[in-house]
Amino acid sequence: MSIAKNLTEIKSQLPAQVTLVAVSKTKPVADLMEAYTAGQRIFGENKIQEMTDKWEQMPKDIEWHMIGHVQSNKVKLMAEYVSLIHGVDSLKLLQEINKQAKKHNRIIDCLLQIHIAEEETKFGLDEEEINHILTSDDFKSLENIKIVGLMGMATFTENQNQIEKEFNHLNSIFDKHSKLETSNLKLQTLSMGMSGDYKLAISCGSNMVRIGSSIFGNRNYQ
């Protein structure tokens, strides 16, 4: 089955309010261009260098989302063009994004990554840390970033009840903080759900899903 067909099929199943991020990590530009030609304009990458290489080669009306763990020292490579950074998990990282965005006279949209999984390996903030960041004077002084939502990854498990519980937990944190609004904070995006669990995520309130293998096929990790 072709990438274009996969894309059309998935899009036909998504509610109108749900944004599809095509996760294109490890895939060649030719595959991304097939998706682009089929109408996809939002691509998600997990390595800043790889994303930058693709940005340089591809049409400039693409929105690039950084969906992987972000190393502070690499932020400068994407500050010129990135549309949304999903995995922000510290004030220090926000300060670095703010600093690099300022150099390009931009405001960069970010999602705070919340730790909802039971696995220790997943990155993310707990509720206390989110509260601490969003109410701090250091955060309020950042003029070149905007927190536009939250993201989280469920535990890698076959247990649908557990995944549902984790998604609902993230949704409740989102609801709680969506009342807050400042010049650099307005929660509108709840990014949760991937190829294996995006339908469940949408039923739990997600309005942005990150889908890779169901569009591009399995990845070849070297």
Side-chain angles (χ1 to χ4, degrees):
M1 208 179 189
S2 74
I3 290 168
K5 271 189 184 159
N6 292 345
L7 201 52
T8 306
E9 195 174 306
I10 289 165
K11 281 185 172 174
S12 72
Q13 297 167 11
L14 294 181
Q17 80 279 8
V18 176
T19 299
L20 171 63
V21 180
V23 178
S24 48
K25 59 187 183 183
T26 79
K27 294 295 177 184
V29 167
D31 286 8
L32 278 72
M33 282 308 300
E34 192 180 328
Y36 178 89
T37 305
Q40 183 62 20
R41 291 294 180 273
I42 304 174
F43 293 90
E45 292 281 333
N46 72 336
K47 290 196 165 58
I48 294 173
Q49 187 61 63
E50 184 182 342
M51 181 169 75
T52 302
D53 292 345
K54 288 172 178 174
W55 167 70
E56 286 169 351
Q57 296 175 61
M58 291 181 66
K60 294 297 173 266
D61 61 338
I62 291 171
E63 273 187 38
W64 292 99
H65 289 204
M66 178 58 195
I67 61 169
H69 184 64
V70 180
Q71 293 170 288
S72 294
N73 62 340
K74 300 242 174 96
V75 171
K76 59 180 179 287
L77 299 176
M78 64 176 170
E80 182 184 346
Y81 69 88
V82 70
S83 291
L84 183 63
I85 301 175
H86 285 235
V88 178
D89 59 0
S90 70
L91 180 61
K92 187 170 157 275
L93 179 55
L94 274 175
Q95 289 167 326
E96 181 61 24
I97 295 166
N98 187 75
K99 180 178 135 187
Q100 298 301 334
K102 200 169 189 174
K103 290 178 184 175
H104 294 280
N105 199 23
R106 297 185 67 210
I107 292 172
I108 294 179
D109 288 346
C110 300
L111 303 179
L112 290 180
Q113 181 167 358
I114 313 305
H115 188 282
I116 55 170
E118 290 190 4
E119 296 152 14
E120 282 306 308
T121 53
K122 299 268 196 293
F123 296 99
L125 303 156
D126 62 29
E127 286 193 69
E128 201 177 312
E129 291 168 324
I130 312 165
N131 291 331
H132 180 69
I133 288 174
L134 296 182
T135 55
S136 72
D137 290 338
D138 284 338
F139 170 72
K140 289 170 187 164
S141 71
L142 301 177
E143 295 178 350
N144 290 80
I145 56 103
K146 185 161 191 180
I147 302 295
V148 296
L150 305 179
M151 72 83 79
M153 291 157 77
T155 304
F156 188 68
T157 173
E158 295 293 313
N159 184 339
Q160 295 298 300
N161 291 335
Q162 185 181 344
I163 295 170
E164 186 174 8
K165 190 180 88 179
E166 291 167 0
F167 284 156
N168 282 329
H169 177 52
L170 183 54
N171 193 19
S172 70
I173 296 172
F174 179 82
D175 282 345
K176 195 165 95 182
H177 290 90
S178 55
K179 321 267 188 299
L180 289 170
E181 199 177 317
T182 62
S183 59
N184 62 358
L185 170 69
K186 184 175 171 55
L187 299 189
Q188 294 166 307
T189 299
L190 182 54
S191 171
M192 58 187 192
M194 300 187 287
S195 285
D197 55 20
Y198 71 89
K199 290 177 183 171
L200 180 55
I202 291 167
S203 74
C204 296
S206 172
N207 61 8
M208 180 177 282
V209 293
R210 308 178 299 274
I211 300 177
S213 52
S214 297
I215 296 172
F216 296 104
N218 292 330
R219 287 186 197 95
N220 307 318
Y221 287 111
Q222 296 304 322

